[in-house]
Amino acid sequence: MEKKKFIVLHRSKGFTLIEVLASIVILSTVATGIFLFFTNAMKYTTYNQGKTVAVNVARGVLAYMERLDFTALQQYVQTDMATTNKPYTEINASNCRSSLFESEQVCQAIFRPTINNIVYDETRLHVFVIPYNDTTQWDKFVQSPPTEFPASLKKKIAAETIENSDVNLQKYLLKIYVIVRWGDDDDQAEWLEGVIANETIR
């Protein structure tokens, strides 16, 4: 009787369970690191985008306010301060029907813009005008600044003093602060300050 020959195939050694688990752990660690990197990059980009938009909105408002008739604006500020008994006047989109603004539509576009599906309305955009070099009003303003002012601006005005107390400057200048909130946190706000000058001295 002829003997049958069997060929024994030796299987190559595969990965053990421990090796598979170790590779999964390493891959997960690397993937988590990459995911965190992109997540942080996205947050940083969104943060910077919010700041950039806020600054541009504030600049647009400031430029618009500078083009208004100075005498009419000054009278508006004086009347409003006498009525409200506050050391400043707040101007926002709700004031667009005032005779101070030539076009209500333009005023609404400036004071209530929609950018990246975010409406910068009265809760996000604040404009405050105060008399220039009026020491009495300035002291009141420093003692009780508007609640909309971010902490950094409150700190700045608290340290600020009127160097030139020439009362004649009040006839030709108004101080303005524009605050734009682009987030919900207190520090997520950008602000600009400026001076609006009478057309006769521009």
Side-chain angles (χ1 to χ4, degrees):
M1 184 174 183
E2 188 179 339
K3 290 185 179 179
K4 292 184 179 179
K5 294 182 180 178
F6 294 98
I7 299 172
V8 179
L9 298 174
H10 294 283
R11 289 181 297 172
S12 59
K13 189 176 180 183
F15 293 109
T16 64
L17 181 60
I18 293 175
E19 290 172 332
V20 172
L21 290 175
S23 63
I24 290 173
V25 169
I26 292 169
L27 184 63
S28 300
T29 304
V30 172
T32 302
I34 293 171
F35 177 75
L36 287 175
F37 171 78
F38 283 110
T39 303
N40 288 336
M42 190 74 164
K43 285 180 182 177
Y44 186 72
T45 302
T46 304
Y47 182 85
N48 280 338
Q49 183 183 27
K51 288 183 74 169
T52 303
V53 169
V55 168
N56 287 332
V57 168
R59 284 179 179 166
V61 171
L62 196 56
Y64 178 73
M65 293 295 293
E66 287 174 343
R67 289 195 301 269
L68 294 177
D69 178 74
F70 181 84
T71 305
L73 178 60
Q74 190 176 46
Q75 289 175 351
Y76 182 87
V77 170
Q78 289 171 351
T79 304
D80 183 75
M81 286 173 58
T83 304
T84 61
N85 200 26
K86 291 181 179 178
Y88 58 83
T89 294
E90 183 175 4
I91 299 174
N92 54 43
S94 64
N95 304 112
C96 286
R97 292 185 179 178
S98 166
S99 59
L100 178 64
F101 304 104
E102 292 180 8
S103 169
E104 184 180 347
Q105 287 181 328
V106 173
C107 178
Q108 288 284 346
I110 296 294
F111 285 99
R112 194 180 281 156
T114 301
I115 302 169
N116 296 335
N117 294 325
I118 297 174
V119 180
Y120 290 85
D121 57 7
E122 293 86 343
T123 61
R124 291 182 177 270
L125 177 58
H126 308 279
V127 179
F128 298 94
V129 183
I130 63 171
Y132 191 84
N133 271 15
D134 187 333
T135 52
T136 305
Q137 297 297 344
W138 179 256
D139 289 341
K140 290 180 184 177
F141 184 71
V142 171
Q143 289 171 4
S144 58
T147 55
E148 294 83 2
F149 272 30
S152 59
L153 183 53
K154 288 178 182 177
K155 185 177 179 181
K156 183 188 180 302
I157 64 168
E160 198 173 322
T161 56
I162 295 177
E163 295 176 5
N164 185 353
S165 58
D166 185 359
V167 291
N168 290 323
L169 291 175
Q170 294 176 25
K171 301 175 185 176
Y172 304 104
L173 301 172
L174 288 169
K175 197 156 192 171
I176 182 170
Y177 294 93
V178 182
I179 297 101
V180 181
R181 293 201 170 278
W182 54 270
D184 297 326
D185 295 338
D186 185 56
D187 64 332
Q188 292 180 330
E190 296 300 315
W191 54 269
L192 293 178
E193 66 174 321
V195 175
I196 301 174
N198 192 318
E199 295 88 350
T200 58
I201 63 169
R202 286 183 191 170

